[in-house]
Amino acid sequence: MNNATEEEPQPVYAALFGCIMALGLPLNAVSLWILLRHHSLKSPNTVFMVNLAISDLLLIISLPMRVYFYATGNWPFSSTVCNSIQRLFYANIRSSSIFITFISVDRLLAVVYPLRSRHLRTTTNAWKGAGFTWLILLVISSSVMVTLSGQPHNHTCFVPLHSGPETSVGAYFQPVLVSTMLAVNVVCTAMVLWTLRSHLSDSAKVKNKLNVMLIFVLNLLIFTVCFLPVTFTRVTGLYRLPLTCLATLNCCLDPLLYYFSFDAFWKKKDVEPS
């Protein structure tokens, strides 16, 4: 039987995580249902969005534990449960940053290189990319879980083990990944904006150009507000909890990507919009 340790309750964070869960769960569940039912999985764009919605739902199912802990200050469960919830959080940031980048690259190819990219923008390649992403994340999470299982149980959860910055190689993995994905998104945004503004003949067939740019703006917003700050907490020693809460908010913003990506999102579309 695990010994429960009392921490100071933090009702504000319990309420914030509760609101994120209450908003994110229906948004992502409905979005996933619409994507699967009304939009063809033959579209690489849809494949990436389905995987992004699944990633967000995996994060959301871990939030009740956070709400309970911050509301009561009590963690009666095992360290394995705590570590699993933590892995879901970090896996969501990694998978979301990768799938959002896939969406940006796919939109870049569709707008800037619509003809030359046809052999690349296939459903098969999209599923291969998604499958490889989940495989790598599973290996990383499993290896971390094995490492943590050998450490003594401190009978608490969501409390940083280090008060200052960490210098291990693992602490730099997520900042490097997120920074790299952000750089790719910035390049994609610049190239698409340049094409839409300067090459009117090439972009004349692109419908809802405002929506296209909103997708890229939203991607950059999610990276800079949700992902980037929290990924540097381990190497800077910043207070982690407020940034963790902010990072979790991405599961409520991602459904906006699905809405802006499709004309008539709520209606069945057999052909992917350009």
Side-chain angles (χ1 to χ4, degrees):
M1 182 176 179
N2 297 310
N3 297 324
T5 296
E6 294 288 340
E7 299 285 343
E8 188 69 26
Q10 302 184 65
V12 173
Y13 287 106
L16 289 174
F17 282 115
C19 290
I20 293 173
M21 178 182 64
L23 182 62
L25 180 60
L27 281 177
N28 284 278
V30 171
S31 296
L32 182 60
W33 180 80
I34 293 174
L35 287 169
L36 292 174
R37 182 177 176 84
H38 289 191
H39 298 277
S40 174
L41 280 178
K42 296 179 180 179
S43 159
N45 199 35
T46 307
V47 171
F48 296 137
M49 291 182 181
V50 165
N51 282 274
L52 181 59
I54 292 174
S55 173
D56 288 337
L57 287 172
L58 289 175
L59 172 66
I60 291 170
I61 63 176
S62 72
L63 293 184
M65 295 293 191
R66 285 187 180 269
V67 173
Y68 175 82
F69 175 75
Y70 292 122
T72 65
N74 178 46
W75 183 256
F77 308 105
S78 68
S79 59
T80 301
V81 175
C82 176
N83 292 334
S84 299
I85 293 174
Q86 295 277 48
R87 290 311 101 203
L88 283 175
F89 171 73
Y90 288 112
N92 172 260
I93 294 180
R94 292 164 184 166
S95 60
S96 293
S97 62
I98 293 173
F99 288 129
I100 288 175
T101 303
F102 280 157
I103 292 171
S104 291
V105 173
D106 179 75
R107 294 297 83 195
L108 165 70
L109 295 176
V111 173
V112 182
Y113 308 106
L115 299 179
R116 285 183 286 175
S117 65
R118 284 184 175 180
H119 67 287
L120 294 175
R121 297 180 60 247
T122 64
T123 307
T124 301
N125 287 339
W127 280 115
K128 286 180 180 178
F132 183 74
T133 298
W134 287 117
L135 178 61
I136 294 298
L137 294 179
L138 179 61
V139 171
I140 294 174
S141 298
S142 299
S143 62
V144 173
M145 287 291 292
V146 170
T147 302
L148 294 176
S149 64
Q151 298 180 356
H153 177 34
N154 60 1
H155 304 297
T156 188
C157 193
F158 311 127
V159 177
L161 298 177
H162 303 273
S163 57
E166 299 181 42
T167 57
S168 63
V169 176
Y172 288 90
F173 171 75
Q174 191 138 307
V176 170
L177 173 66
V178 172
S179 298
T180 302
M181 297 295 102
L182 174 59
V184 174
N185 277 270
V186 170
V187 172
C188 289
T189 303
M191 292 183 66
V192 169
L193 178 61
W194 179 72
T195 299
L196 293 179
R197 294 187 61 180
S198 304
H199 293 65
L200 298 180
S201 60
D202 295 337
S203 61
K205 296 182 180 179
V206 178
K207 300 178 181 179
N208 294 329
K209 297 178 184 179
L210 178 60
N211 281 11
V212 173
M213 288 313 304
L214 284 175
I215 293 172
F216 287 96
V217 170
L218 187 57
N219 287 349
L220 295 179
L221 178 66
I222 292 174
F223 267 90
T224 56
V225 174
C226 297
F227 295 157
L228 205 59
V230 75
T231 58
F232 282 92
T233 55
R234 292 180 63 185
V235 297
T236 60
L238 294 174
Y239 185 44
R240 201 170 296 180
L241 184 53
L243 298 180
T244 299
C245 190
L246 189 62
T248 309
L249 187 63
N250 86 89
C251 67
C252 298
L253 296 177
D254 287 340
L256 293 176
L257 288 175
Y258 319 142
Y259 179 81
F260 290 131
S261 294
F262 297 100
D263 300 328
F265 177 67
W266 297 92
K267 298 179 181 179
K268 185 174 182 180
K269 292 282 289 183
D270 294 324
V271 180
E272 178 194 13
S274 299

